[in-house]
Amino acid sequence: MIDIDKYFKPNLKQARKRTQADTEYKDFQLDERLQKFGVGKFYKIQTYGCQGNEADGETMGGILRDMGYQPTEDEAQADIILINTCAIRENAENRIWGELGRMKPLKRRNPDLLLGLCGCMAQEENVVNRVLEKYQHVDLIFGTHNIHLLPQYIETAHFNKERVIEVFSEEGNIVENLPKARQNPYKAWVNIMFGCDEFCTYCIVPYTRGKERSRSKEDIIEEVKELKALGYQEVTLLGQNVNAYGKDFKDQDYTFGDLLMDLDKIGIPRIRFTTSHPHDLDDKTIEAFRSCPSVMPHLHLPVQSGSNAVLKKMNRHYTRELYVDVIRKLREAKPDIALTTDIIVAFPTETEADFQMTLDLVKEIDFEGAYTFIFSKRAGTPAYSFEDNIPESEKKERLKRLIKLVNDGYLRASQKYMNQVVEVLVEGVSKQDERTLAGYSEHNKLVNFKGDKSLIGKIVKVKITQPRTWFLIGEACE
Ligand code: SAH
Ligand code: SF4
Ligand code: F3S
């Protein structure tokens, strides 16, 4: 029997705590001793989940690169493999268990391989216990709060030949000066805040990511200026609830709308952001859509449900009426704004009448797209113990009906762009055809058009000639 209690393991109850403690800001520095540790070695990072996790994956890549490691896609070549996990729904977790099982033989073939589990699943005690008991081939477990300690963990695991398990269930601090191996040469993620204090009753994120804490505006502005100087065309500002940006500043009154206006002045062509919360979306942010040319006319604003009773049980802090009103104000400020959303169906106690209200709301707002999910129980969250009274078949049926409606919206939205000239940031060639270029419009629509590869990385005017459900086809304007 192994003694699994000797490790530094997570605790979801502890992670729920919020105090008035100040956020600590520190700078990352790579120990000189470890700067050549990875020379001649290869790393592979497998990232799942949201953009926040993708950004973390790029940070881990940056740290490994600074240690001398090179990236590889080939598992057999890798000296270290990190699985950067997501805990948002059960099926997200099941995929990871499958991956961990699949990787067992890799370790048998290469006993020196370091296999690490990180990201949001690593913050869950049931996950860590299960890995310790049943997945002995995992060498390294660390959480979302201690990515910056990766070099030390690698060193310990390598020299001591023992498992390194360290997960903190703290409120969270901010580490600056972290290196990044950015995956896209034209579009960059920029974290503006971390954590979440919303505690929607279904959601694990406030437990896995800690309290809401904002990066300083100076650090964010500096990062965007640097990205512009490097030739990046687009930044996406990241946070679980970007509209709460700055609320934790004790000595200044500076909010998300102010940040958008300051970033707009830098002159980077495109600014996007995700994710917004309806109850925190203020007039200044709406004003930024109207007055800032670089703020792109697309907003992802998760609504989750159209029923006030369900919204209340979800602890969303707004009503359907407030949501509709925010959308009205947004459309007044920016009439062509593209709106997308997230919806959960079959939340515990959701009745057919509640669900119908969600369908009605989808019709009323006329979303250009939506991510739709069946409610998934997460251990440690309040909704875990809500009575789940909806039969499985009914859940699937509701999801199907919602998806049908949402897909009609996608097509209608695409058709709006017929004969319009849109601006496309060209990212590469289409998956289907080498001679077709692909990129996203201002409204975040995928656009394909014929053109020369030299246009990759540029913003090109394209006239839409064939709108399809999932993408638009067009012709480059001279
Ligand atoms: N911070 C963002 C994103 C959270 S996760 C936000 O507040 O919108 C992305 C989406 O996953 C959520 O909007 C929600 O629709 C969905 N989601 C979160 N927890 C879930 C759960 N337990 N079951 C089903 N869907 C969930
Ligand atoms: Fe989860 Fe709600 Fe926070 Fe979004 S706002 S991360 S859904 S708790
Ligand atoms: Fe998943 Fe964690 Fe993001 S649970 S959605 S990776 S914050």
Side-chain angles (χ1 to χ4, degrees):
M1 261 310 267
I2 48 162
D3 172 17
I4 62 169
D5 288 325
K6 71 174 180 179
Y7 299 110
F8 214 106
K9 294 193 296 179
N11 176 323
L12 287 177
K13 262 206 196 104
Q14 182 69 27
R16 188 183 168 83
K17 286 200 184 126
R18 296 289 185 268
T19 66
Q20 293 301 310
D22 286 343
T23 301
E24 209 184 297
Y25 292 77
K26 26 188 173 187
D27 266 332
F28 172 80
Q29 231 183 348
L30 181 60
D31 217 314
E32 228 181 286
R33 198 178 75 238
L34 296 170
Q35 286 174 6
K36 296 216 163 59
F37 189 91
V39 173
K41 295 186 189 151
F42 291 87
Y43 75 85
K44 178 165 194 263
I45 301 175
Q46 250 171 261
T47 292
Y48 300 83
C50 63
Q51 292 95 334
N53 237 23
E54 281 184 34
D56 284 351
E58 293 186 348
T59 302
M60 293 177 221
I63 292 175
L64 291 166
R65 183 197 57 203
D66 283 9
M67 291 175 76
Y69 284 91
Q70 285 167 265
T72 180
E73 284 306 309
D74 179 7
E75 287 175 346
Q77 189 184 33
D79 298 279
I80 177 165
I81 299 178
L82 295 176
I83 310 185
N84 187 18
T85 61
C86 171
I88 202 81
R89 283 169 292 273
E90 195 181 357
N91 54 8
E93 294 204 346
N94 285 341
R95 272 171 79 189
I96 305 292
W97 294 119
E99 273 300 280
L100 284 181
R102 188 185 64 75
M103 285 184 178
K104 213 168 191 169
L106 286 176
K107 186 82 189 177
R108 239 179 274 135
R109 262 178 259 143
N110 175 10
D112 288 334
L113 169 70
L114 276 184
L115 183 60
L117 183 92
C118 53
C120 285
M121 270 173 85
Q123 294 291 141
E124 297 179 291
E125 57 233 46
N126 59 351
V127 167
V128 173
N129 285 338
R130 183 165 159 190
V131 173
L132 284 170
E133 280 167 13
K134 303 216 172 94
Y135 297 82
Q136 312 263 342
H137 57 296
V138 175
D139 306 284
L140 188 61
I141 306 180
F142 58 98
T144 59
H145 294 296
N146 47 348
I147 289 173
H148 59 291
L149 299 178
L150 179 59
Q152 282 94 304
Y153 297 149
I154 293 178
E155 188 186 31
T156 312
H158 183 80
F159 288 116
N160 298 359
K161 297 274 175 223
E162 65 169 58
R163 303 174 104 181
V164 177
I165 286 116
E166 189 162 83
V167 181
F168 302 135
S169 299
E170 58 183 24
E171 290 185 281
N173 293 313
I174 290 188
V175 183
E176 288 293 347
N177 200 31
L178 284 160
K180 298 204 163 58
R182 298 193 189 268
Q183 297 299 298
N184 184 313
Y186 320 113
K187 305 204 292 194
W189 309 119
V190 175
N191 284 311
I192 62 163
M193 60 183 302
F194 303 94
C196 183
D197 286 346
E198 287 295 327
F199 289 101
C200 302
T201 50
Y202 49 81
C203 184
I204 194 77
V205 173
Y207 307 79
T208 63
R209 295 272 164 176
K211 74 172 172 194
E212 260 169 26
R213 53 209 192 273
S214 307
R215 286 181 73 196
S216 81
K217 67 171 185 194
E218 290 80 13
D219 283 330
I220 299 169
I221 290 171
E222 193 52 40
E223 184 172 345
V224 175
K225 280 187 179 161
E226 273 170 25
L227 289 164
K228 179 174 183 256
L230 287 168
Y232 282 85
Q233 303 278 354
E234 179 174 310
V235 291
T236 301
L237 312 177
L238 295 182
Q240 292 301 335
N241 175 11
V242 289
N243 304 102
Y245 176 79
K247 289 197 170 166
D248 53 326
F249 293 151
K250 290 182 179 145
D251 51 351
Q252 53 182 321
D253 183 16
Y254 188 85
T255 61
F256 184 58
D258 297 311
L259 181 68
L260 282 178
M261 291 184 192
D262 280 343
L263 293 177
D264 180 59
K265 289 183 205 135
I266 294 174
I268 194 149
R270 294 178 159 198
I271 300 175
R272 301 186 188 277
F273 54 87
T274 195
T275 308
S276 292
H277 193 299
H279 95 92
D280 273 330
L281 197 125
D282 60 2
D283 291 346
K284 222 181 231 170
T285 304
I286 296 176
E287 181 51 36
F289 276 110
R290 188 203 315 263
S291 62
C292 300
S294 59
V295 173
M296 289 293 102
H298 167 233
L299 178 67
H300 184 69
L301 192 62
V303 66
Q304 314 298 1
S305 168
S307 151
N308 284 339
V310 173
L311 288 171
K312 189 146 193 244
K313 233 176 142 60
M314 288 175 164
N315 195 31
R316 287 291 288 179
H317 300 293
Y318 57 84
T319 57
R320 174 198 181 104
E321 292 73 26
L322 183 132
Y323 189 90
V324 170
D325 199 48
V326 169
I327 300 287
R328 180 189 58 75
K329 283 199 239 167
L330 278 160
R331 282 184 166 149
E332 255 168 41
K334 192 82 193 164
D336 65 329
I337 193 164
L339 296 163
T340 54
T341 198
D342 289 348
I343 296 169
I344 297 177
V345 302
F347 190 71
T349 73
E350 182 189 79
T351 61
E352 173 58 30
D354 290 320
F355 177 62
Q356 199 59 53
M357 287 186 224
T358 300
L359 295 181
D360 289 346
L361 186 72
V362 170
K363 281 188 216 147
E364 182 179 340
I365 306 283
D366 198 15
F367 290 109
E368 297 213 356
Y371 296 112
T372 52
F373 314 100
I374 293 179
F375 165 71
S376 169
K377 265 183 179 213
R378 308 315 297 134
T381 65
Y384 184 77
S385 45
F386 292 176
E387 194 195 347
D388 189 0
N389 54 349
I390 309 164
E392 222 38 54
S393 56
E394 178 65 31
K395 291 180 186 177
K396 292 206 177 109
E397 196 50 40
R398 283 186 197 170
L399 184 67
K400 230 165 97 187
R401 285 158 68 196
L402 177 61
I403 289 177
K404 163 89 181 63
L405 196 64
V406 165
N407 288 354
D408 294 346
Y410 271 105
L411 182 60
R412 245 194 333 277
S414 289
Q415 285 163 344
K416 276 201 304 212
Y417 299 102
M418 180 69 186
N419 288 327
Q420 282 191 25
V421 174
V422 301
E423 293 194 348
V424 179
L425 168 54
V426 185
E427 287 182 38
V429 294
S430 149
K431 278 189 200 119
Q432 281 79 34
D433 171 16
E434 268 277 299
R435 290 159 307 159
T436 300
L437 300 176
Y440 286 86
S441 72
E442 307 94 310
H443 297 88
N444 212 28
K445 282 275 170 194
L446 178 60
V447 179
N448 286 345
F449 67 102
K450 292 258 187 297
D452 192 79
K453 277 190 185 160
S454 61
L455 294 175
I456 293 174
K458 303 213 164 77
I459 294 176
V460 178
K461 284 195 164 58
V462 177
K463 184 171 178 187
I464 302 305
T465 51
Q466 296 175 59
R468 301 277 168 85
T469 305
W470 309 115
F471 62 103
L472 309 172
I473 299 173
E475 287 163 10
C477 306
E478 294 321 317

